[in-house]
Amino acid sequence: MNFKSFKNLSEDIRSNLHALHAEDIDLVVGVPRSGMIPAYMIGLYLNVDVIDLGGLVNNSELKSGY
């Protein structure tokens, strides 16, 4: 088992963002628990909204902080 830090995860996501910029992405859906941190990182780098899978299924309202 190889250990990955949050820094490694962030670097991996940033180095592969070029594959996502070709798509027209306006929402990132994260799988609860282990998938939310990468989803938030992707949403941050692409400047798009993020929601969890349960919120998407329940058609929850997107909210943002101050």
Side-chain angles (χ1 to χ4, degrees):
M1 180 177 208
N2 294 328
F3 176 77
K4 286 284 223 181
S5 68
F6 287 114
K7 180 182 177 191
N8 296 134
L9 176 63
S10 178
E11 290 169 351
D12 288 344
I13 289 172
R14 288 192 89 157
S15 67
N16 289 293
L17 277 179
H18 62 87
L20 297 178
H21 279 295
E23 304 295 324
D24 187 23
I25 297 173
D26 56 357
L27 181 68
V28 176
V29 179
V31 178
R33 298 186 53 110
S34 62
M36 291 308 297
I37 292 173
Y40 283 127
M41 287 181 179
I42 293 169
L44 175 69
Y45 294 140
L46 295 178
N47 195 29
V48 297
D49 291 322
V50 178
I51 193 168
D52 67 320
L53 185 59
L56 180 71
V57 170
N58 293 327
N59 200 24
S60 297
E61 178 183 351
L62 293 174
K63 299 178 182 176
S64 61
Y66 294 100

